[in-house]
């Protein structure tokens, strides 16, 4: 069976753990000054490679964001300051839900 990609750093075939969030998990959204809102619900499962899982377990948001930026920086326009700040705020809110003690960690 092939391993799935890490949902954090996106490294192919590296998922070793799955974090399962409960049905009461927060839904993250973005809004602009015009009143437009984009809600980003997910299925409540987050796959993690060993390195990202270690950062999640340590509640190391800064380390996790640094790792994700290192691996996704080539495919996302993270040099644009406004995009980068918005993207970091968005994914940090998503990752915070995974770091909650109610998340259940199981082998992938």
């Amino acid at each position: 069976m092939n391993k799935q990609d890490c949902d954090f750093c996106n490294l192919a075939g590296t998922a070793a753990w799955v974090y399962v969030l409960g049905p009461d998990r927060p839904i993250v959204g973005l809004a602009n000054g015009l009143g437009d809102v984009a809600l980003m619900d997910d299925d409540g499962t987050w796959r993690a490679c060993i390195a990202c899982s270690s950062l999640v377990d340590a509640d190391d948001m800064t380390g996790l964001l640094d790792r994700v930026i290192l691996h996704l920086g080539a495919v996302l326009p993270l040099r644009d300051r406004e995009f980068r700040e918005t993207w970091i705020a968005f994914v940090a809110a998503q990752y915070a839900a995974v770091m909650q003690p109610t998340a259940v960690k199981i082998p992938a």
Side-chain angles (χ1 to χ4, degrees):
M1 185 167 126
N2 293 334
K3 283 191 175 183
Q4 294 185 323
D5 301 349
C6 178
D7 288 329
F8 297 93
C9 69
N10 205 40
L11 287 179
T14 61
W17 296 99
V18 178
Y19 293 88
V20 180
L21 309 180
D24 59 343
R25 69 187 177 278
I27 297 174
V28 177
L30 292 173
N32 65 17
L34 302 174
D36 299 321
V37 177
L39 296 177
M40 304 301 286
D41 195 8
D42 56 63
D43 66 358
T45 58
W46 286 77
R47 289 158 190 78
C49 65
I50 292 170
C52 288
S53 176
S54 295
L55 295 165
V56 169
D57 293 348
D59 203 24
D60 184 355
M61 181 68 75
T62 300
L64 184 59
L65 289 170
D66 287 346
R67 177 173 169 75
V68 170
I69 288 168
L70 174 70
H71 290 284
L72 292 181
V75 296
L76 292 175
L78 296 177
R79 292 182 191 257
D80 177 279
R81 186 183 60 78
E82 185 177 349
F83 178 86
R84 180 184 178 103
E85 289 174 359
T86 301
W87 180 83
I88 287 173
F90 176 72
V91 297
Q94 288 184 308
Y95 297 171
V98 180
M99 291 179 172
Q100 294 300 310
T102 55
V104 177
K105 181 180 175 183
I106 58 174

